[in-house]
Amino acid sequence: MTSETAAYLEKARDPLAQADVMLGIHLNEAAGRTAYLAGFHFAQAFIFACTGKVLKSHHGVHTEFLRLTKDDKRLEPELRIFLSQSYNLKAVADYETGPDAKVSADRAAAAGATGRRFLARITEMIASTETGAGS
């Protein structure tokens, strides 16, 4: 694994652990937003491992990740759309207002659990991509 890929993975692991702590003290919006951030960095790691590209915008990372995983049977559909779904939690936490603009504990916990599965699968996919055994 390249040092750049490893750096993205390391950057993603910390927020995923932080999301669990936040959830434990009922900071649901922060936990959901942070689970998304972890997924964003996992996707950056995968993109870099596959292409050598460094993408920083949310749109760019989402688009390139979906393009790279379009026909990849190693990534189940639920994990393939994790970025889009968890971005919704970030959007609620950061931009929406009103009584319904809340992230529930269940949604935040589900994002954290899916984020951990996403981490495991992306790490496996990076390893096989870098050894030439991809898709």
Side-chain angles (χ1 to χ4, degrees), residues 55-114:
L55 300 178
K56 295 185 179 185
S57 75
H58 295 281
H59 177 75
V61 169
H62 287 226
T63 301
E64 185 68 358
F65 181 78
L66 288 173
R67 185 187 74 77
L68 290 171
T69 61
K70 181 178 180 212
D71 296 318
D72 196 325
K73 304 282 189 239
R74 300 172 296 170
L75 192 64
E76 49 273 40
E78 178 188 11
L79 296 181
R80 188 166 182 267
I81 62 170
F82 172 67
L83 277 181
S84 322
Q85 288 185 331
S86 60
Y87 184 82
N88 185 342
L89 299 179
K90 176 193 172 353
V92 167
D94 290 350
Y95 308 116
E96 294 187 19
T97 61
D100 295 330
K102 300 286 180 195
V103 175
S104 71
D106 288 343
R107 285 186 72 198
T114 304

Side-chain angles (χ1 to χ4, degrees), residues 18-19 21-34 103-105 108:
Q18 291 168 8
V21 172
M22 292 170 188
L23 190 60
I25 56 174
H26 309 289
L27 295 174
N28 301 334
E29 277 105 23
R33 178 190 309 111
T34 304
V103 175
S104 71

Side-chain angles (χ1 to χ4, degrees), residues 5 7-13 15 36-46 61 83 118 122:
T5 301
Y8 278 118
L9 289 174
E10 186 58 34
K11 185 158 185 76
R13 285 184 182 100
Y36 163 73
L37 183 62
F40 178 80
H41 293 308
F42 292 137
Q44 284 180 306
F46 182 74
V61 169
L83 277 181
F118 192 70
I122 293 301

